[in-house]
Amino acid sequence: MTPMTNGLKASDLQLRFCTNETQLNREAFVDKLKRLGFDISVSEVFSPAPAAVAILKERGYRPHLLVYDGLLPEFDSVDTTNPNCVVIGDAAEKFSYQNLNEAFRVLIGLEKPVLFSLGQGRYYKETDGLALDVGAYMKALEYACDLKAEVVGKPSPIFFQSVLNDMRLQPHEALMIGDDLVNDVGGAQHCGMKGVQVRTGKYRPSDERHSTVTADGTVDDLAQAVDMILKQRH
Amino acid sequence: MTPMTNGLKASDLQLRFCTNETQLNREAFVDKLKRLGFDISVSEVFSPAPAAVAILKERGYRPHLLVYDGLLPEFDSVDTTNPNCVVIGDAAEKFSYQNLNEAFRVLIGLEKPVLFSLGQGRYYKETDGLALDVGAYMKALEYACDLKAEVVGKPSPIFFQSVLNDMRLQPHEALMIGDDLVNDVGGAQHCGMKGVQVRTGKYRPSDERHSTVTADGTVDDLAQAVDMILKQRH
């Protein structure tokens, strides 16, 4: 991977990294991208956990957390005593029968059960094969408790809006680039931004004739997307 | 519990026991009821597992089984090599992250994924508290694979119909008694049978003003239901 976003950094354009990563905290995520050659700082990264923390504090929620251990530091500042809601992330092997029952019991014991889900992915690729993502467990708890979870992360409009707010930009002034047609491109478009898909990662040829989402552009990779943006500036 | 169904047995009425039990095989289930004083034989018990076995054989399906160990003997006669569908029951602690991923991988690897669910319960009471039932895990796999499971057991019409077929009765000639308003009473009514609810077990006072299901009668317990039936015969 070529760190082509550095070309953007040299321009006067603002840059933010929006990820649904919920296994690493932002520090670890930035370290990982830096090793790949990206010039990036923690304040430029938007991920579901800190967005959830802001919501929890704003609404006075004390969460029961069912998240990956590596993500726990993001919640250090949150009161988790006597929980009045549940937050689930991609907890991977922590999605045990016992832990799911525990989260369920917290929810069903509340007068008004509230569930936050850090993303709603169906599945993803692990080194040893495909694995169920947080969205599947969200659906399990939604059904058992007869509720609708509040999704934090892409494609949630509240998530994209928080990133726009941070840049002090209007939606039409921003462009989203991503490999996930529904969550990246569709989510951004739903907020009034333009959305460009890269033909890497999660991209599938069938995305280019998707029934509900049509990208504003499709490019081979991030380098080509950056090139396109910088050329249009001149 | 008084084995009041013995009064029915002395009459010329036919009697069947319909259960969504998927942790015990029928032999173990009958032993349990016999210890409670019920005069009952295996051929009178209808449960999801044998109903599923009939469907699997009829349609040439070889299942990947994610069920409780105690239920496995019900599937002894079924070919499980090179699976082309998945069957889930209330697997309890066998609903591990690993086992769910395994079932998911079988489904997602099929050209046309087929999932059978032995019931669709939301949760049930264990000795140590409430536990997620098979329906929650069904929803997780449905979402991850973008499919709709085929539910075997109450309230599935195909399940009630198989019981009527066994008794060689038309729906209007049969009466269902149960504690579960939606799955027992509503399911039976949906097939054209009458449905009576008992105020025991899963019964909740709010059932008597339910938005979609209205029982044809509500009685305090099974004894009262049997009494009512026998009296109406004279």
Side-chain angles (χ1 to χ4, degrees), chain A residues 92-93 95 97 100-101 104-105 108 120-124 128-132 135-137 139-140 143-144 146, chain B residues 92-93 95 97 100-101 104-105 108 120-124 128-132 135-137 139-140 143-144 146:
Chain A
E93 57 268 22
F95 276 134
Y97 178 68
L100 278 166
N101 279 342
F104 165 67
R105 287 168 192 169
I108 207 77
Q120 57 182 352
R122 293 166 186 266
Y123 59 89
Y124 58 94
D128 62 337
L130 296 175
L132 292 171
Y137 294 97
K139 289 290 172 185
Y143 178 71
D146 196 17
Chain B
E93 58 269 21
F95 277 134
Y97 179 67
L100 278 167
N101 279 343
F104 164 67
R105 288 169 191 168
I108 208 76
Q120 56 182 351
R122 291 168 188 266
Y123 60 89
Y124 58 93
D128 62 338
L130 296 175
L132 292 172
Y137 294 97
K139 289 289 172 184
Y143 178 71
D146 195 19

Side-chain angles (χ1 to χ4, degrees), chain B residues 172-234:
Chain B
H172 71 270
E173 300 173 296
L175 173 79
M176 173 77 192
I177 306 166
D179 61 349
D180 187 319
L181 186 71
V182 171
N183 290 311
D184 294 337
V185 174
Q189 288 175 333
H190 195 69
C191 285
M193 299 163 65
K194 288 229 182 316
V196 168
Q197 190 181 21
V198 285
R199 292 193 188 91
T200 59
K202 286 189 175 181
Y203 165 85
R204 291 175 179 218
S206 62
D207 287 347
E208 299 195 36
R209 46 177 198 280
H210 193 270
S211 60
T212 56
V213 181
T214 306
D216 293 294
T218 310
V219 293
D220 284 342
D221 52 28
L222 192 53
Q224 197 185 336
V226 170
D227 215 36
M228 181 191 78
I229 294 166
L230 292 177
K231 268 188 189 140
Q232 289 190 359
R233 294 274 295 174
H234 296 295

Side-chain angles (χ1 to χ4, degrees), chain A residues 24-234:
Chain A
L24 297 172
N25 61 50
R26 279 168 297 170
E27 279 70 19
F29 179 75
V30 164
D31 285 347
K32 188 174 152 187
L33 284 191
K34 276 185 173 164
R35 283 195 300 275
L36 294 169
F38 284 87
D39 175 17
I40 180 174
S41 69
V42 168
S43 65
E44 290 170 318
V45 175
F46 283 74
S47 64
V53 168
I55 293 172
L56 294 169
K57 290 183 174 176
E58 191 184 307
R59 303 194 202 160
Y61 281 126
R62 300 177 306 275
H64 171 88
L65 297 169
L66 179 47
V67 301
Y68 205 72
D69 284 340
L71 195 69
L72 283 171
E74 294 277 12
F75 294 89
D76 275 350
S77 66
V78 176
D79 179 8
T80 56
T81 58
N82 188 21
N84 57 3
C85 77
V86 168
V87 173
I88 59 170
D90 173 25
E93 57 268 22
K94 282 185 72 183
F95 276 134
S96 65
Y97 178 68
Q98 286 74 12
N99 286 348
L100 278 166
N101 279 342
E102 203 185 328
F104 165 67
R105 287 168 192 169
V106 170
L107 286 170
I108 207 77
L110 296 170
E111 200 179 336
K112 196 191 167 325
V114 174
L115 173 64
F116 292 97
S117 185
L118 306 181
Q120 57 182 352
R122 293 166 186 266
Y123 59 89
Y124 58 94
K125 212 175 267 181
E126 275 287 12
T127 44
D128 62 337
L130 296 175
L132 292 171
D133 201 354
V134 63
Y137 294 97
M138 173 189 86
K139 289 290 172 185
L141 291 172
E142 282 188 342
Y143 178 71
C145 304
D146 196 17
L147 58 76
K148 190 102 187 81
E150 186 161 337
V151 177
V152 185
K154 298 178 287 184
S156 155
I158 210 175
F159 183 73
F160 283 108
Q161 194 54 55
S162 71
V163 185
L164 290 169
N165 292 348
D166 185 65
M167 297 190 287
R168 298 172 194 271
L169 289 180
Q170 296 297 311
H172 71 270
E173 300 173 295
L175 173 78
M176 173 77 192
I177 306 167
D179 61 348
D180 187 320
L181 186 71
V182 172
N183 291 311
D184 295 336
V185 175
Q189 289 175 334
H190 195 68
C191 285
M193 299 163 65
K194 288 228 183 315
V196 168
Q197 189 180 21
V198 285
R199 292 192 188 92
T200 58
K202 286 189 175 179
Y203 166 84
R204 290 173 181 219
S206 61
D207 286 347
E208 299 194 37
R209 46 176 198 280
H210 193 270
S211 59
T212 56
V213 181
T214 306
D216 294 294
T218 309
V219 293
D220 283 342
D221 51 29
L222 192 52
Q224 198 185 335
V226 170
D227 215 37
M228 181 190 78
I229 293 166
L230 291 177
K231 269 187 188 141
Q232 288 190 0
R233 295 274 295 175
H234 297 293

Side-chain angles (χ1 to χ4, degrees), chain A residues 122-123 139, chain B residues 84-86 88 103-117 137-151:
Chain A
R122 293 166 186 266
Y123 59 89
K139 289 290 172 185
Chain B
N84 57 3
C85 76
V86 168
I88 59 170
F104 164 67
R105 288 169 191 168
V106 171
L107 285 171
I108 208 76
L110 295 170
E111 199 181 336
K112 195 190 168 325
V114 174
L115 173 64
F116 293 97
S117 184
Y137 294 97
M138 173 188 85
K139 289 289 172 184
L141 291 172
E142 281 188 344
Y143 178 71
C145 304
D146 195 19
L147 58 78
K148 190 101 187 83
E150 186 161 338
V151 178

